[in-house]
Amino acid sequence: MLDANTVRVLYIDLGRREWRVDERPELARYLGGVGVAAKLFTEGLVPDAEASAPEQPVVLGIGPLTTVFPLATKTAAVFRSPLTGEWGESYAGMRLAMALRFAGYDAVYLTGRAQRPVYLVVDRDGVSFKDARGLWGLDCEETGRCLREWEQGRGFRSIVRIGPAGERGVAFAGVNVDTVRHFGRLGLGAVMGAKNLKAMVVHGEKSIPIPDRRAYRAVYEEIHARAVDTEVMEKYHGLGTAGNVLSLNAMGALPTRNLRENRFEGAERISGEAFAQKTLIRKLACPGCPVGCIHVGLYRRSFAEGHEYESITLAYDYELIYALGSFLGLSEPGDVYALIEAVEALGLDAISSGVVLGWATEALEKGLIHTADLGAELRFGDLDGYLAALHGLVEQPTPLYAVLARGLHRATAELGGRDFACLLGNNEMAGYHTGYAFILGQTVGARHSHLCNAGYALDQEPGLGEDPEGVVDRLIAEEEWRNVLNSLGVCLFARNIYDPPTVVRTLNALGVPAGAEDLAQLGAEIFDLKLAAKKRMGFDLSHVTVPRRYFETSTLQGTLREDVLGDLLSRYRARIAARA
């Protein structure tokens, strides 16, 4: 929040082409980010309406630390997910949080559906509604290029846009933010497309007064030093998350070929080390971050057979390499880059795309679906079929593609094959086949993400697996604390820097009188707020199921047992019931 005593919300009605700014002092207790966004979303949620309904809100929120302290770079988005039908929550870095802050807004509340495609220009003077019919149909790259030329604010603006996947309602369409970052998961792109909202350009140049400059400087310098002078953030600047490829492969936790295997013989060739040695050309950082974790590589491809080559720059990280590499049996960086380029241009979520294609490959082998309906031959390790299928998911030339474009949960309900669908909480799995805590964590997490509670990390702690109550305790405690960090706008990579005492000092330096107990209570309150909203949207923990595939392929903890996971789920449900 810009002011310690209130939250400034920009309300935009796309259908009426109207906007207003409300001061909401009663929201100040939620700090910002996901806390404020969750509260605003639950105020406007229409439980009986689909995710694509005009009246469903989309809320963006930034935190009180945004741009003021190092590594506070994230914008939270809360919406109803068209993929799971319930809680949608996603985060993006780069310039969006900075631009919103300097434009003077703590949160943006979007509702309605424009009569024709529009893009919005948001600045300190309000909102302009602009005709986007000329942009509709363009991919994310071309849309960004046009808006960079058309709109002012270079260096102070953020350009948020969807690609053809969002326009066509693919349930796992993402949103591109300043080319190299995304609101990737759970289908925010499809929600924007349903609202006829092609893009937003946010531009701000306001300054921010600091009430206690001496205290601010002291804690700022301490955080900055921990980020650049210690080993805490070294992993992210070094190889980046791509460094996980070899370590997870060594553990036997790297999902391979639709999780039929837990190790990949091509892991060395698509490792973070290989990407860095052969392709890395630069590292980028979000504004306000001294680390630089965004790894950008060079992809060389020919214009066409027999013609010259062109060079393309693409960002890569672990999740992309896992979902579009080992999960599909692809072992050449060039092949992974080809799929990354396609999902970027089309505006698809890379994880869901890879997991859907992995399932489709096995479904084809089992005779559940047919090549004639795909128009392509899918084989693990064969790039061409996957490239064609990615375009098929967006263009939907056959009924089969239209089904797959709704996500694996709905596709398997219609086509069968649930046993080998790598879903958790009806969301396509992240790349950590580590054990019980990961499966439980993604299944029960509010947004069904490995980032909700980091179960994959618990699986790597010796002895914790023998303490089921401890696993449940840790998952809940971690999710509650992450609610606090996500309300502040802090990047979760910096979670080991922003411990409770440090967070208290940052807030106090900004004039926010919060203590450690206040933060703990806030994290729990947001946790409960999400649970209540999920229940209103029909989510019921007693109905969750885990596909058979997770018990067939060995993990870091060996082969998992359904009764053990069932016991953990029962304990978790009991704990949640006790909170109510």
Side-chain angles (χ1 to χ4, degrees), residues 487-509:
S487 296
L488 298 168
V490 169
C491 173
L492 290 179
F493 286 173
R495 59 190 180 277
N496 292 325
I497 292 178
Y498 281 90
D499 52 34
T502 303
V503 170
V504 169
R505 291 176 62 205
T506 61
L507 290 171
N508 292 168

Side-chain angles (χ1 to χ4, degrees), residues 51-93:
S52 59
E55 60 267 34
Q56 293 290 15
V58 171
V59 188
L60 306 178
I62 64 172
L65 307 192
T66 297
T67 73
V68 181
F69 282 101
L71 299 146
T73 58
K74 296 294 186 180
T75 302
V78 175
F79 52 98
R80 185 167 196 170
S81 168
L83 184 66
T84 64
E86 38 119 345
W87 187 263
E89 179 184 329
S90 190
Y91 295 84

Side-chain angles (χ1 to χ4, degrees), residues 177-449:
V177 179
D178 302 321
T179 303
V180 293
R181 297 288 89 179
H182 312 81
F183 291 112
R185 307 231 65 192
L186 294 170
L188 180 59
V191 179
M192 282 181 61
K195 293 183 178 302
N196 268 337
L197 178 59
K198 178 67 176 178
M200 289 177 59
V201 180
V202 184
H203 171 221
E205 294 181 344
K206 295 181 71 169
S207 62
I208 301 167
I210 302 295
D212 186 343
R213 295 179 68 87
R214 186 172 183 177
Y216 165 70
R217 182 171 180 175
V219 68
Y220 181 100
E221 290 181 350
E222 179 184 316
I223 292 170
H224 190 275
R226 291 170 70 184
V228 301
D229 296 335
T230 72
E231 296 179 353
V232 175
M233 302 297 292
E234 186 175 320
K235 165 187 173 181
Y236 301 107
H237 180 72
L239 291 175
T241 59
N244 290 338
V245 173
L246 290 183
S247 57
L248 286 166
N249 192 56
M251 293 177 198
L254 179 64
T256 298
R257 297 185 189 90
N258 198 42
L259 196 56
R260 293 198 299 205
E261 299 150 75
N262 62 345
R263 288 187 173 87
F264 184 41
E265 73 282 359
E268 289 277 358
R269 293 195 294 277
I270 59 169
S271 64
E273 289 83 350
F275 268 78
Q277 290 168 4
K278 297 177 181 176
T279 74
L280 180 67
I281 57 170
R282 64 187 302 201
K283 299 177 185 178
L284 299 175
C286 299
C289 174
V291 175
C293 73
I294 305 169
H295 290 59
V296 179
L298 190 69
Y299 170 45
R300 292 274 289 165
R301 68 168 187 185
S302 64
F303 289 102
E305 188 173 350
H307 291 265
E308 297 86 352
Y309 282 77
E310 64 177 337
S311 298
I312 299 169
T313 58
L314 294 164
Y316 65 86
D317 62 24
Y318 169 68
E319 296 294 353
L320 300 179
I321 295 172
Y322 134 71
L324 304 175
S326 68
F327 203 81
L328 301 178
L330 293 170
S331 58
E332 293 299 328
D335 290 350
V336 177
Y337 273 133
L339 295 182
I340 292 175
E341 185 196 16
V343 299
E344 287 281 2
L346 294 167
L348 289 163
D349 172 43
I351 296 177
S352 286
S353 297
V355 173
V356 167
L357 293 184
W359 176 88
T361 307
E362 189 165 340
L364 192 63
E365 291 178 357
K366 294 178 183 295
L368 206 60
I369 61 176
H370 305 285
T371 302
D373 297 319
L374 285 168
E377 188 69 44
L378 299 185
R379 290 185 294 268
F380 290 120
D382 185 351
L383 171 66
D384 292 342
Y386 293 129
L387 271 176
L390 283 176
H391 287 273
L393 289 170
V394 176
E395 295 161 8
Q396 299 164 33
T398 66
L400 176 59
Y401 277 117
V403 172
L404 293 174
R406 297 169 64 197
L408 208 43
H409 163 55
R410 290 187 171 87
T412 53
E414 187 166 329
L415 302 170
R418 182 85 176 185
D419 281 355
F420 58 92
C422 294
L423 292 165
L424 293 169
N426 294 333
N427 191 15
E428 286 77 21
M429 74 175 292
Y432 303 88
H433 192 45
T434 49
Y436 293 109
F438 165 72
I439 294 176
L440 179 66
Q442 183 168 335
T443 300
V444 302
R447 52 178 160 142
H448 306 297
S449 164

Side-chain angles (χ1 to χ4, degrees), residues 86-145:
E86 38 119 345
W87 187 263
E89 179 184 329
S90 190
Y91 295 84
M94 285 310 288
R95 293 186 296 273
L96 180 57
M98 175 199 73
L100 284 170
R101 178 121 215 188
F102 290 140
Y105 309 110
D106 297 305
V108 178
Y109 184 98
L110 285 159
T111 190
R113 176 183 291 152
Q115 292 183 352
R116 59 174 183 262
V118 298
Y119 72 93
L120 304 177
V121 176
V122 175
D123 59 26
R124 64 188 302 171
D125 298 321
V127 181
S128 300
F129 298 80
K130 299 201 174 185
D131 192 339
R133 285 176 292 182
L135 297 173
W136 205 255
L138 296 184
D139 66 30
C140 289
E141 174 61 26
E142 280 299 297
T143 302
R145 185 183 61 78

Side-chain angles (χ1 to χ4, degrees), residues 528 531 535 574-580:
D528 292 334
L531 285 177
K535 186 176 181 180
R575 194 71 57 82
I576 297 304
R579 295 171 75 104

